[in-house]
Amino acid sequence: MTSRLKDLNNFGQSVWLDYIERGFLLDGSLQKLLDEDGIKGVTSNPSIFEKYMGHGAKYDADIKSLMKTGKHDAKQIYEHLAIKDIKLAADILLPVYKAQNHKEGYVSLEVSPHFANSTEQTIAEAKRLWKLVDRPNLMIKIPGTTAGMPAIKALIADGININITLLFSYSNYVSATEAYIDGLEDRLEKGLNI
């Protein structure tokens, strides 16, 4: 008997999991969801990471190791742990990404919400995270704010996969769609693959 979630694939629906956690990645649980339920992608956000990094012991060894190297800054520690989990998830999803001709199999990582109202900071942070993770099936979450729209265009033009968030109105959706298309057109004008 097939999973009801997997059956959704027959209707062109893609199920993504809004959850990521180190133990879940290492114990085969994510792989099981890919195999048995047809999960096609994973999203993350700072609150998901905080829940698991701040409670339990699964991240303690990494945190202690970072502390010994002199990295005591909470942001540095968070980023190191989050990037490690994103890379693990991306590697697990890579066969889906390849089998689906790059249409599925992504893992998303959010630009800091502190940059939601700054186009320049959003672009810089997205590029930095893209380079740090260094996986073809990464998506960078960009907020669909007024400042996010030019960032969407610029990042798409640069060939960075993005996941647009915070689209709470029809006008925001239209603006995001236009920014996406404008970014693709910029790539075409430069003779780059879309």
Side-chain angles (χ1 to χ4, degrees), residues 41-108:
V42 173
T43 64
S44 69
N45 64 55
S47 63
I48 291 172
F49 281 122
E50 186 278 330
K51 180 178 180 181
Y52 294 101
M53 289 177 189
H55 308 283
K58 290 178 182 154
Y59 293 90
D60 289 357
D62 272 0
I63 292 170
K64 287 176 185 172
S65 175
L66 288 167
M67 297 292 280
K68 287 179 184 175
T69 66
K71 291 186 179 179
H72 300 162
D73 179 79
K75 183 178 183 251
Q76 287 180 312
I77 292 171
Y78 161 79
E79 185 172 273
H80 175 84
L81 298 173
I83 296 289
K84 187 172 182 177
D85 283 2
I86 293 293
K87 286 180 175 183
L88 283 168
D91 292 344
I92 293 167
L93 282 155
L94 191 60
V96 174
Y97 174 79
K98 290 178 177 178
Q100 297 294 318
N101 197 26
H102 309 173
K103 294 177 184 169
E104 306 281 4
Y106 289 91
V107 178
S108 68

Side-chain angles (χ1 to χ4, degrees), residues 21-33:
E21 182 265 326
R22 178 78 47 87
F24 177 77
L25 299 171
L26 296 175
D27 71 6
S29 295
L30 176 58
Q31 186 63 56
K32 185 176 179 182
L33 286 175

Side-chain angles (χ1 to χ4, degrees), residues 152-154 156-157 175-189:
I152 292 165
K153 177 184 174 183
I156 289 294
S175 295
T177 303
E178 289 171 351
Y180 172 74
I181 292 169
D182 289 347
L184 291 176
E185 288 174 346
D186 283 359
R187 288 187 66 76
L188 278 176
E189 285 177 16

